[in-house]
Amino acid sequence: MKMAASLLTVAAVFLVFCSGAVGFPTGQAPRSSLGCGYKSCPATQPGMLNVHLVPHTHDDVGWLKTVDQYYYGGRNNIQHAGVQFILDSVVDQLQKNPARRFIYVETAFFIRWWSQQDAITQKVVTELVNEGRLEFINGGWCMSDEATTHYSAVIDQMTLGLRFLNDTFGECGRPRVAWHIDPFGHAREHASMFAQMGYDGFFFGRLDYQDKRRRMNEKDMEMIWRASESLAPPTADLFTGVLPNGYNPPDGFCWDQSCSDAPIQDDPSLEDYNVDTIVTNFLKVANDQATIYRTNHIIMTMGSDFQYENANLWYKNLDKLIRYVNAKQSQGSKVNVLYSTPSCYLQELHRANLTWVSGSPSLLVSVYMAMARWSVCVCVIASQYPLLLLSTPSVKTDDFFPYADDAHDFWTGYFTSRPALKRYERISNSLLQVCNQLEVLGGPSSKKGPHGDGDSETLRKAMAVAQHHDAVSGTEKQHVADDYAKRLATGCAHCQVLVSNALSKLSGSGAPRVYCENLNISVCPLTESSHKVRYRVTRSIINADLRIHGNSAEFSVTVYNPLSRSVSWAVRLPVNGSRYSVTDPSGRLVDSQVIPVSQSTQDIRRDRGYARNELLFQAQAPPLGFRTYSVSLLPNRPLRASPQLGTPLYLQNKFLKVTFDPETGLLSSLTNMETKQTMQLKQNFYWSNSVVQEVWQQFGPWASQVVRLYQDSRELELEWTVGPVPVKDGHGKEVITRLETSINSSGLFYTDSNGREVLERRECSHEADRRPGGGMRDFRPTWDLKQTEPIAGNYYPINSRMYIKDKEQQLTVVTDRSQGGSSILDGSLEIMLHRRLLVDDYRGVGEALSEPGEYGEGLVVRGRLLLALTPPAAAADTHRPLAESLVLQPLISLQDGDLHPNTLLEFSGLQAALPPAVHLLTLSQWDRDSVLLRLEHQFQAKESQSHSQPVTVNLQKLFSTLDVVGVSEMSLAANQWKDKMTRMEWKGNTGEKPLRQESAEPSPWEVTLKPMEIRTFLLRVLQR
Amino acid sequence: MKMAASLLTVAAVFLVFCSGAVGFPTGQAPRSSLGCGYKSCPATQPGMLNVHLVPHTHDDVGWLKTVDQYYYGGRNNIQHAGVQFILDSVVDQLQKNPARRFIYVETAFFIRWWSQQDAITQKVVTELVNEGRLEFINGGWCMSDEATTHYSAVIDQMTLGLRFLNDTFGECGRPRVAWHIDPFGHAREHASMFAQMGYDGFFFGRLDYQDKRRRMNEKDMEMIWRASESLAPPTADLFTGVLPNGYNPPDGFCWDQSCSDAPIQDDPSLEDYNVDTIVTNFLKVANDQATIYRTNHIIMTMGSDFQYENANLWYKNLDKLIRYVNAKQSQGSKVNVLYSTPSCYLQELHRANLTWVSGSPSLLVSVYMAMARWSVCVCVIASQYPLLLLSTPSVKTDDFFPYADDAHDFWTGYFTSRPALKRYERISNSLLQVCNQLEVLGGPSSKKGPHGDGDSETLRKAMAVAQHHDAVSGTEKQHVADDYAKRLATGCAHCQVLVSNALSKLSGSGAPRVYCENLNISVCPLTESSHKVRYRVTRSIINADLRIHGNSAEFSVTVYNPLSRSVSWAVRLPVNGSRYSVTDPSGRLVDSQVIPVSQSTQDIRRDRGYARNELLFQAQAPPLGFRTYSVSLLPNRPLRASPQLGTPLYLQNKFLKVTFDPETGLLSSLTNMETKQTMQLKQNFYWSNSVVQEVWQQFGPWASQVVRLYQDSRELELEWTVGPVPVKDGHGKEVITRLETSINSSGLFYTDSNGREVLERRECSHEADRRPGGGMRDFRPTWDLKQTEPIAGNYYPINSRMYIKDKEQQLTVVTDRSQGGSSILDGSLEIMLHRRLLVDDYRGVGEALSEPGEYGEGLVVRGRLLLALTPPAAAADTHRPLAESLVLQPLISLQDGDLHPNTLLEFSGLQAALPPAVHLLTLSQWDRDSVLLRLEHQFQAKESQSHSQPVTVNLQKLFSTLDVVGVSEMSLAANQWKDKMTRMEWKGNTGEKPLRQESAEPSPWEVTLKPMEIRTFLLRVLQR
């Protein structure tokens, strides 16, 4: 049934979806009438303090062990943990007492276990879920890191996990609560995403210890988090609660096999009878906890890392605890303990109907008093202006970075840890999006085609695993980091087959396709092959000892662009010839250069490659499509001098001019040729001893940089190479690059949150004290430690960009991966590039972060920073598309020899480029006849005069090869119909009436996006 | 129905028992038709190597934690272990797969768990037992120690455990196999008892490492143990197997939560898939193990200490192991793996129908070769004559002491460890037997009478727990040792109430009764009370500062004798008067003395008592009865000199004369006045540094001794006092006393096994090399370590006696507790009395054995050694009754003031004393109308000319207050009717035809006992 010109309403289309073959949700609708979700919550006692015991396990999707080892319980000598047994045991134990509850969080593990169960067990589990006894919480593939992840990968991993739950359990499997109990600080964008995914609330465990102290004192542990400055409330509002004990049980009440607290020994005839002691202790703990929360409900997380492997220990004791504590009610006790879940606790908070303004009448005084004790960074954590803080204490608008668990223990190094893994994860995400798109555009033969069987699933899962808070974060053991990388590599290989098949289908050329993944170190066997160097090339023998192979000196380069607009991309290919012709699909010769491979690159790549030169040309690629260029070797001619071989006085194109200090060779200024803005710019590299933070030194020859200015680019490219970081001096090192400018930044700088919205950061160290003015100065502490903390304590995560500005100028740095950065000195901007340590940080990982690299000497890392100098008002117009193009970069594939004449050399999957404000965030196959589409307005409100406006896209006019015959809008994670999505409404303290966005769109196909809005659609499509 | 003069046969009486109210067994007979026991064993593959996997847990009834802590899982910081969870988990897991098996051993734990289960779980467990899926093995209250226990307490604890199993599960709950996998060496008497209890086989884990090596080489790991030199085979023959890996799984196959071996990871899509590796490794392990055993069946113990707390881990992996290993059979593998139990394995060994002679044709050569490598003590372990060894390699006739797990690691110190606990356990046993007897003789009012509620159960259980191999052995942590003592103390208190009630019933006097438990340090508040010293007495103020209280200076002393013959007993009571009259029941004055309390005793007791003097008189008590003496204070008169105040030249009575060296004051000779035998005797105390064993020194003032010769005694009493052992010199110490005599002992000495039969021991150290002659000399090794090992390696357990002899003389030392002893020098005999160490022995306990004592300075211990000098042929006539009277000693109770004139002052529960050869081992209430009686022939065959003969007792003429109306003979542990008891018959290698003892007794009431025989009866009795 073709519905391209249907007159049906969206609702009608929706019905087709529900009843038809598209299969979403898979017939689970009736389950919502079961007793799961809020309906399954246990009764509470209105006149009592209700203690919600939440049995839970925290199962890292890799940390000290790999995800496989954690699942099976392998390598228990490293850490005793086996998830298969946890689920076995919990399911057994839940059946023994209907009052018992359990929550499960990480779908990556659950799905493995589920697939190994027989039908009887699956039925039992389904019943437990339907009765709310086993409840899924959070429900993503993993519990993602918040500091080092990119929003697109987070949305993907959440979608993957939630889809399994939805497909398997329907409405009863849909998590109501987001649960990030372990991540090391919390990003505002995560809260925004959770809100848009339909979660009613969010709980976490880790926040700055001083922030927590203040919140405990002020009964401000639970709040509304307004997580977007662009989206209209309550779209990105999220009820957020700080858990009382991280995610652990109160002291003395840990009854897991991994704990040693006394069990409840209730046989009075035995020596160690302890019921009275335990009940007394518990009542004290509960009453103490009640003093820091606002309602007569409190939550206790009864579990921890990989607990409940033998759930009987926990439940048997919890059964007794509940029995004996509640028995005291007959003697007048006003404490009521019950098995519960985070959602049941949340429901009680909601029922309390508070406005979530601190109830303390002495708020003003106590806040000031608390401030007097606060550390250097409370200014950032709380808010930037004291008056704002006081008027809205329970509405959180900034984020929870950086996280310190003690005065000297800031968790900011991991923003940069394992920079190579962080980059590989980012590249893999780009490939996954390409893979997803081409699975749609290439049709069924993408997965089974001339190049074999390919799939996107493997990489999707590998990427989902890599979002875990001990994965891309870099906080895992080395062997686990290697495992993540291996999984990504396997996933990439599967995707490459799919991409080859799809490109084969779309281009008509089935010739083998090669993907060179080491172009950043000038290695690509295909392009090198005809001029292979036998031995390692050194400068002195650069023209000697070559060995020419007889292969054809012709190959083609296909550039696939996953963005919804055309891109221009500098293609750099390692070659051994010195002259090539490059032609575009229309046969036109394209400008190209051949330049020598730098000595630095040769040193890094060792015998992995032999190219002497790089062929460089600027490729253009159409939206969601490809363009193929042909390359032919020409007779030799002498190379022209490379820009690396000497430092010129300046580089210049029509957009930018950069000058260098003739004495040092370092950057000295940057000029925007269009706006005529010039900024003084000094850059250098430094390392900090990772133990004594304040010792800074200029460093030696194990770091280098190439400064590039491409002809048609508005940005300056700094390609940095760092490593192996020397440690023979006995010092671990954290390597940063610092840009010092003439911008008057006044202690403020800006970093993005998960690659989307930007937050203002305030540098608040001892340096600030010497700076005249600044509203927060009076509240800064004067403690002894201030000279050691300001560095780490002022670092923030950068996922895509960071900038400083004054009224006239803004310097934006766009990064190619997640890193940590700060602005310690006014006008400066620094980014940590690499780190290598010699001691463990005593946070559990049990080994120093010292990546050995392929040769064991220490890992060498290469990356790029893109610098843009603009007026502040125009900055977003540059950095939004720039960051977008770095996140979703073109995929280059190579084919050897001549292409068949019938080959299609250019293709676009879109009928036309989308408007500049619109980003095609997701296009991936959902079911046989349906695809998932996410469109995003990539500008914040007010940041761009031209683009921060609503923009409309017509879904039927989107694709060039697909007819869209049905559309249904979904929640952000695609596990709910948007129009069925309801969230708890919370009374904020601002007096704003929560607004529902009313759809005023003239047609179901016309989709309007407001700034920072992401809209998710399930499209029913037909291949044309 | 009175049956005293019944004409019914024993069989008829038996029928009455079965159907009547006596209630044994409690209607469980039909269960034997269920599929439990051998019938439930899994099928095996005749043409293959069958690997019997035995899932098991080893649950110490106290060790690093107390029995309560182990049960509940308390103090898991010491050791992670919680038995309640083990049983929870195993029962759950057994239900998941009918092929799974589990054995459970320690009834002390099982009974607690059982009592906490609901009816549904009890039913499930009963079904598992009835189907043989859960099988009880061993089944005593605990797994008793073998080196430091007394047979009477072992029989009691086995009876207690097995009775619960019988009452609860009937025939299906009866263990077929004895299982002592952990005790540190194995006593022959234990094997004898197990045989008499009806076990078909016995498996253990620990034996001398060289013995094990030899047995592995010779395929002699499984054997017949002929465990008695007196009992006719096969009465005490026991099939005995040495387990391959102690009681652990093979390396690499431990899948408990406490292990770190790789689980079977059988998802081929995961990184760590390892099925092939594991199967290959397992096949290698199995085939290797098969080379050291004789049949095509091998056993693997899949478990260890407190394992299976989360049984899922084990079973899930074992399920897979079985599946994947057996799957190899389709590719030709000849290995068949199965879940099994020790009894099922035993059944297969039995079916193999071998004669259990080593099958190796090269036996002679290999034994000689092996001997060349053996250590100093193999001579003892193997046998004393090489020819004997070679002719009967598979019939074991000696025992498995001492146990060494490595060249330097002999487990012999524990024979003496915690000497105070060892003595307290022995006294408690004596009280328990008194308590048992008086519960029978005193009738129902014993348990509920004028003195309150008393019971024997508490002490019975405390004693049963104390038999555990980390209890009386002294190998537990200090706090656990304290707990055992506390349990015994509680049990004793319960028994004292029972005893008071019973004596009240029997004597007619309900006056309060006092038990003075500290008479050994001259403390007894009642007898001291009328002359209480206000402050601590020092010698200088002994006649000053006294405070006389107005209490009556009259009290009575009741001496209850638990033996079946009259005894004479020296009563010593602390008093403050200096003259007393003591009268017997007929009013006759009894000789008494008042002597000063020694300074040594005053120093030890500190302020626990204030008596200046001791009143001493010799009391007589009738068989199984009491006699009451009245004591009155007389006017003061000067004390006569005490024997302690100066060392006389000799002590002499009509039986013995002992002389002292006038210069040193040490013993110099001992003369038996009846036989006119005189032996040179030198005694001293020594300590060995417990690290460097060969350094011996005479020691200082922290040890003393009192030598006593009582008027009517044939033995010399040495009361030793040792401690606090000083350790400020940085050396732990093991304190011994050594008696050096003129006896020509020729390297031989003799020690008892668990207080019954005596084994010959051969000293085989470097000293022996310097001694001319000696058959083993040629086979002794010449390794470097011989100068350090001979001490520890020559120590053997002494439970009741040790002796040396030559053709004319035998010096026997009877001990009051279990100790370690040896004869390192010819003619000498040494006993370790006390030990205090400064370092842990690295065998798991994790603390040095350094008992602090009440004042923290180190424990002071006091004890007695009784010396008898006799001709060898007459020695048993002395030491058998002597040891008996020390094990079951009279219980002294005191009553203040005058007794009522109607009080019965003398009573015997027997119609007449039993013949000298007969020991009344057990008399205890079984059910309301039945009592358990054990009669024992206490002489070995041939050891006594007068007593080593059959002796007959008439059960109906036994008791003075009970009519015996029915009798049924039972197995030794009273869990089977004797005439229903069948045991597997094994083909020994001696060609002897196993003989069944035919009952030729003329009447069921006439019971004949042969040497060393114990016969167990359930009697139906009526109180007269």
Side-chain angles (χ1 to χ4, degrees), chain B residues 1006-1018:
Chain B
E1006 298 280 332
V1007 173
T1008 300
L1009 297 159
K1010 302 192 189 103
M1012 275 295 138
E1013 192 172 21
I1014 299 173
R1015 294 184 68 178
T1016 304
F1017 302 95
L1018 200 58

Side-chain angles (χ1 to χ4, degrees), chain B residues 576-868:
Chain B
N576 279 305
S578 56
R579 276 182 77 210
Y580 291 84
S581 79
V582 180
T583 55
D584 71 9
S586 60
R588 274 190 296 266
L589 207 60
V590 176
D591 272 355
S592 67
Q593 303 174 247
V594 173
I595 56 175
V597 169
S598 72
Q599 184 58 40
S600 152
T601 296
Q602 291 178 34
D603 288 347
I604 293 168
R605 77 179 178 198
R606 299 197 183 187
D607 55 3
R608 284 173 290 201
Y610 304 92
R612 288 176 299 167
N613 303 325
E614 280 193 330
L615 169 65
L616 176 64
F617 66 93
Q618 201 73 18
Q620 314 295 324
L624 224 63
F626 63 81
R627 181 177 275 190
T628 300
Y629 292 84
S630 297
V631 179
S632 301
L633 177 65
L634 300 177
N636 271 4
R637 69 175 177 196
L639 286 186
R640 66 176 193 178
S642 129
Q644 287 101 324
L645 294 180
T647 305
L649 288 179
Y650 61 90
L651 298 176
Q652 182 175 353
N653 67 10
K654 60 189 169 185
F655 302 114
L656 221 55
K657 178 178 179 179
V658 55
T659 65
F660 297 86
D661 183 308
E663 286 184 25
T664 63
L666 299 175
L667 291 174
S668 61
S669 77
L670 194 61
T671 302
N672 182 324
M673 303 298 284
E674 295 172 296
T675 62
K676 309 295 180 203
Q677 293 179 295
T678 294
M679 176 185 71
Q680 302 307 311
L681 175 63
K682 185 178 151 203
Q683 186 211 17
N684 214 330
F685 290 75
Y686 304 86
W687 62 266
S688 72
N689 178 302
S690 57
V691 179
V692 187
Q693 302 272 5
E694 77 282 9
V695 180
W696 293 90
Q697 293 183 345
Q698 194 163 349
F699 67 97
W702 39 271
S704 60
Q705 180 171 272
V706 180
V707 180
R708 295 198 183 103
L709 187 59
Y710 289 104
Q711 197 170 356
D712 294 317
S713 300
R714 285 188 164 81
E715 70 279 3
L716 183 69
E717 176 181 316
L718 307 180
E719 188 188 67
W720 51 269
T721 304
V722 175
V725 178
V727 289
K728 286 187 178 164
D729 58 1
H731 294 295
K733 294 176 183 66
E734 297 182 318
V735 183
I736 65 156
T737 187
R738 182 186 291 161
L739 297 159
E740 291 173 59
T741 74
S742 52
I743 292 173
N744 179 17
S745 62
S746 304
L748 298 178
F749 58 105
Y750 301 82
T751 60
D752 68 299
S753 181
N754 297 131
R756 289 195 91 216
E757 294 191 41
V758 171
L759 278 80
E760 183 181 279
R761 308 294 187 183
R762 175 175 287 269
E763 191 275 325
C764 48
S765 71
H766 63 301
E767 297 286 342
D769 294 336
R770 294 197 288 272
R771 205 170 53 220
M776 297 299 290
R777 240 166 54 115
D778 290 344
F779 302 111
R780 289 191 185 114
T782 54
W783 60 359
D784 290 344
L785 301 173
K786 65 180 179 178
Q787 70 274 34
T788 61
E789 302 311 318
I791 308 304
N794 278 305
Y795 262 66
Y796 290 88
I798 306 168
N799 304 109
S800 61
R801 77 211 72 188
M802 175 184 184
Y803 56 80
I804 52 175
K805 64 178 182 178
D806 56 20
K807 283 180 183 161
E808 284 77 38
Q809 297 181 326
Q810 173 169 333
L811 175 67
T812 308
V813 179
V814 173
T815 65
D816 63 348
R817 73 197 73 191
S818 292
Q819 292 171 315
S822 188
S823 171
I824 303 293
L825 308 170
D826 262 13
S828 81
L829 184 156
E830 65 183 57
I831 294 176
M832 189 183 292
L833 301 175
H834 196 4
R835 46 196 317 245
R836 188 177 185 191
L837 311 180
L838 294 176
V839 289
D840 182 29
D841 62 3
Y842 302 108
R843 288 300 177 278
V845 74
E847 64 182 37
L849 177 71
S850 177
E851 296 168 284
E854 191 174 354
Y855 302 99
E857 301 168 352
L859 186 64
V860 182
V861 184
R862 174 170 281 181
R864 284 184 294 167
L865 301 174
L866 303 181
L867 272 56

